[in-house]
Amino acid sequence: GQQVMQIPQYQHVQEGEDFTTYCNSSTTLSNIQWYKQRPGGHPVFLIQLVKSGEVKKQKRLTFQFGEAKKNSSLHITATQTTDVGTYFCAGQDGMNRDDKIIFGKGTRLHILP
Amino acid sequence: KAGVTQTPRYLIKTRGQQVTLSCSPISGHRSVSWYQQTPGQGLQFLFEYFSETQRNKGNFPGRFSGRQFSNSRSEMNVSTLELGDSALYLCASSRRDSSYEETQYFGPGTRLLVL
């Protein structure tokens, strides 16, 4: 079945440095979503990408969807302590509306002051 | 509008017992998905219900079951609990019935501890 791999598993950065997490699928995705989970909290939706090569920005966050719709990345510029948490990507397993959504294992971001 | 609610928030059970968790989705959402989250395994998909029918199922044993009611509320049941079932159980609701409206809204979760 489909697998969604996310790297790195952990990342420590100094406050102010940039951070990137990558998501790779074994199959073509119809869309990909990104979620953030703060420590002790639940995943919260950040964004959804649908089109091949799509790039979306949310303030310091930049999301990209690969041309082949098999990979995606989330880049945070000038990290802040509020960025701490685990970032998950999630892809729909197949092209049908009914297909299940598969989550990557997440990248846990630690910010060093 | 109100978010996804889950009850109970915390639960302690012993091995061999069974447990039922409840999830009320956002009004108007017909899809409810259940996930098990553990530190080592991340978010693992259990199953999805849509309009009272199980639409997708993950790779969990038959001890894990669920159902959805006509008002879209969903319950998840785990029978014959094992120590390894200790986890945070999250439910997520979504529309899943219109173009690209795949956003999942998660509830706060039920933290289950099996002793």
Side-chain angles (χ1 to χ4, degrees):
Chain A
Q2 183 206 41
Q3 290 189 3
V4 174
M5 309 298 292
Q6 218 177 321
I7 56 170
Q9 190 175 359
Y10 301 96
Q11 184 83 59
H12 293 79
V13 299
Q14 289 285 139
E15 188 175 4
E17 290 183 338
D18 293 355
F19 158 78
T20 305
T21 173
Y22 301 90
C23 187
N24 295 290
S25 169
S26 55
T27 58
T28 301
L29 301 168
S30 58
N31 65 77
I32 195 158
Q33 302 161 46
W34 286 92
Y35 294 80
K36 176 184 177 182
Q37 184 175 21
R38 294 180 184 274
H42 57 272
V44 174
F45 174 79
L46 291 176
I47 207 160
Q48 176 173 285
L49 304 171
V50 177
K51 299 176 185 174
S52 169
E54 189 170 14
V55 178
K56 286 189 176 180
K57 292 191 175 186
Q58 287 180 351
K59 296 182 181 178
R60 295 178 295 104
L61 277 61
T62 302
F63 304 84
Q64 293 190 43
F65 202 9
E67 293 290 340
K69 300 182 75 172
K70 283 187 168 184
N71 54 70
S72 181
S73 66
L74 157 59
H75 179 83
I76 303 179
T77 304
T79 54
Q80 300 175 358
T81 54
T82 53
D83 296 325
V84 164
T86 301
Y87 293 85
F88 294 95
C89 63
Q92 189 169 358
D93 181 13
M95 304 302 289
N96 297 315
R97 300 234 56 77
D98 296 354
D99 292 323
K100 62 189 176 190
I101 294 171
I102 307 293
F103 277 78
K105 290 198 173 183
T107 296
R108 185 175 295 179
L109 173 63
H110 295 268
I111 306 289
L112 304 170
Chain B
K1 58 187 173 183
V4 179
T5 57
Q6 288 186 248
T7 57
R9 293 293 309 279
Y10 303 93
L11 207 48
I12 299 176
K13 292 284 188 179
T14 56
R15 278 183 301 173
Q17 287 187 309
Q18 67 128 22
V19 67
T20 299
L21 312 181
S22 180
C23 172
S24 293
I26 291 172
S27 177
H29 287 190
R30 290 196 285 164
S31 168
V32 174
S33 297
W34 288 89
Y35 295 87
Q36 182 194 65
Q37 187 174 37
T38 57
Q41 296 299 320
L43 277 165
Q44 294 196 87
F45 174 76
L46 280 154
F47 28 66
E48 178 196 4
Y49 284 87
F50 184 85
S51 293
E52 302 180 65
T53 301
Q54 188 181 86
R55 186 156 74 170
N56 287 298
K57 190 175 188 303
N59 299 319
F60 278 79
R63 301 185 296 108
F64 291 81
S65 63
R67 59 177 175 168
Q68 187 178 34
F69 303 95
S70 58
N71 61 359
S72 293
R73 189 177 70 86
S74 177
E75 287 182 348
M76 189 192 91
N77 186 77
V78 187
S79 63
T80 320
L81 284 166
E82 301 177 359
L83 295 179
D85 296 333
S86 295
L88 178 67
Y89 290 88
L90 291 159
C91 92
S93 82
S94 63
R95 293 187 184 279
R96 292 276 262 163
D97 61 358
S98 59
S99 290
Y100 307 131
E101 192 62 48
E102 304 297 343
T103 303
Q104 296 202 73
Y105 298 86
F106 283 84
T110 294
R111 192 165 294 280
L112 172 65
L113 177 61
V114 181
L115 302 175

